[in-house]
Amino acid sequence: MPSTTGLESAMAADRPVPSDLPAAIEALRRERNAVILAHYYQEADIQDIADFIGDSLELSRKAASTEAEVIVFCGVHFMAETAKILNPDKTVVLPDLEAGCSLADACPGDAFARFRAEHPDHIVVSYINCSAAVKAQSDLICTSSNAVDLVRQLPADRPILFAPDRNLGRWVERQSGRSLTLWPGSCIVHETFSEQALLELKLEHPDAEVIAHPECEQHLLDLADFIGSTSKLLQHAETSDCESFLVLTEPGILHQMRRRLPGKHFFAVPGLDGCSCNACPYMRLNTLEKVWRCLLTLTPAIELDESLRLQALAPIERMLAMSR
Ligand code: 13P
Ligand code: SF4
């Protein structure tokens, strides 16, 4: 595993920011034998230097299969933590350690343990947007792209507990026909879209399709023509005959939509009262400068207790094995 001493790291941290950050990142990426993974919600300049861009499931698969020695995870903490769970011998760095997630924060491990104890006969399915402590208490992890398919595969005679996103959970219930006991968490980004603004955009663009992430609230999903994970929204835009789309998810995804489909039109639905709260404040903590600095110093690195890692690994591996 590559490492830097404390002194080297401190000296490296003081190095002035290069004027050509993408070139400096590329040189360090080669030197470190690193792979840069980025979620669609990252800033455009980070997506542009990434080796691979994807949704949570694709990024987990990529993290599981990479041969690089260092994984720079341009996303949020639970994503980098999942990469570390899958790769204990690799160095996994997150450009900003404060890049958390409201869903993971809404489900502390000790409170989740009490919830589980109240439902001892339930199969525990947790959305990947949770801490290692919650994963370790789960039977199966899912992402927004495979949740419906995985729940459909579970034994019909067993009750299911689903955490931590109640909006995703309700959507999975509607799609799978299974009743789920839900943890009451939500995403601060996806709960802020304005129905009023969506309806106004629909009036302006009557031929546009509404495409939505399942973390959105039900009254907005009810207005959607297509619902899916970030990757599935992108794939739908590629295959649909429609030329315009009103997008109900974090607007970082519009960069790839516009890049891959320059002839089509994409409009981000704003938050309530026109606020810019549809941009994930955690994802946006990562910057190109922080990507460069974490490649230089190999910090902040994700570290995990080995017994916790092994407990969290089992339901992730089950997910990867069950995902089609
Ligand atoms: P997906 O990556 O599964 O589309 O989920 C989006 C998300 O909110 C990640 O935090
Ligand atoms: Fe978490 Fe929501 Fe941000 Fe995704 S968009 S990282 S679910 S706060």
Side-chain angles (χ1 to χ4, degrees), residues 39-41 54-57 76 78-79 101 103 127-129 143-145 187 190 213 215 228-231 249 283:
H39 192 271
Y40 290 117
Y41 295 166
D55 70 1
S56 304
L57 179 63
V76 292
F78 75 81
M79 297 178 172
C101 168
L103 278 168
Y127 188 28
I128 199 165
N129 299 37
T143 73
S144 65
S145 81
C187 159
H190 289 87
H213 194 280
E215 287 176 15
S229 75
T230 43
S231 284
T249 194
M283 289 277 183

Side-chain angles (χ1 to χ4, degrees), residues 123 148 150-160 169-181:
I123 298 176
V148 172
L150 296 191
V151 165
R152 281 188 179 137
Q153 293 180 53
L154 297 178
D157 59 344
R158 291 281 307 280
I160 301 167
R170 284 192 196 118
W171 179 70
V172 172
E173 279 189 316
R174 294 195 294 279
Q175 295 297 304
S176 67
R178 298 291 302 263
S179 159
L180 308 177
T181 300

Side-chain angles (χ1 to χ4, degrees), residues 137-205:
Q137 300 179 58
S138 306
D139 298 304
L140 182 62
I141 298 303
C142 69
T143 73
S144 65
S145 81
N146 62 17
V148 172
D149 184 40
L150 296 191
V151 165
R152 281 188 179 137
Q153 293 180 53
L154 297 178
D157 59 344
R158 291 281 307 280
I160 301 167
L161 193 154
F162 188 91
D165 187 0
R166 64 173 176 218
N167 289 325
L168 175 67
R170 284 192 196 118
W171 179 70
V172 172
E173 279 189 316
R174 294 195 294 279
Q175 295 297 304
S176 67
R178 298 291 302 263
S179 159
L180 308 177
T181 300
L182 302 174
W183 178 272
S186 59
C187 159
I188 52 166
V189 172
H190 289 87
E191 68 183 1
T192 54
F193 290 111
S194 159
E195 184 174 337
Q196 172 80 22
L198 173 62
L199 294 172
E200 284 167 14
L201 274 172
K202 266 174 83 92
L203 282 177
E204 270 176 58
H205 308 279

Side-chain angles (χ1 to χ4, degrees), residues 2-4 9 32 70 91 93 293-301:
S3 65
T4 51
S9 185
R32 298 290 198 197
V70 174
T91 300
V93 285
R293 212 169 277 286
C294 78
L295 265 167
L296 187 66
T297 63
L298 295 181
T299 61

Side-chain angles (χ1 to χ4, degrees), residues 300-320:
I302 306 291
E303 300 298 345
L304 268 170
D305 169 78
E306 182 60 5
S307 71
L308 176 65
R309 185 190 76 78
L310 288 172
Q311 288 170 61
L313 178 63
I316 297 172
E317 285 188 327
R318 218 165 276 140
M319 167 186 83
L320 293 174

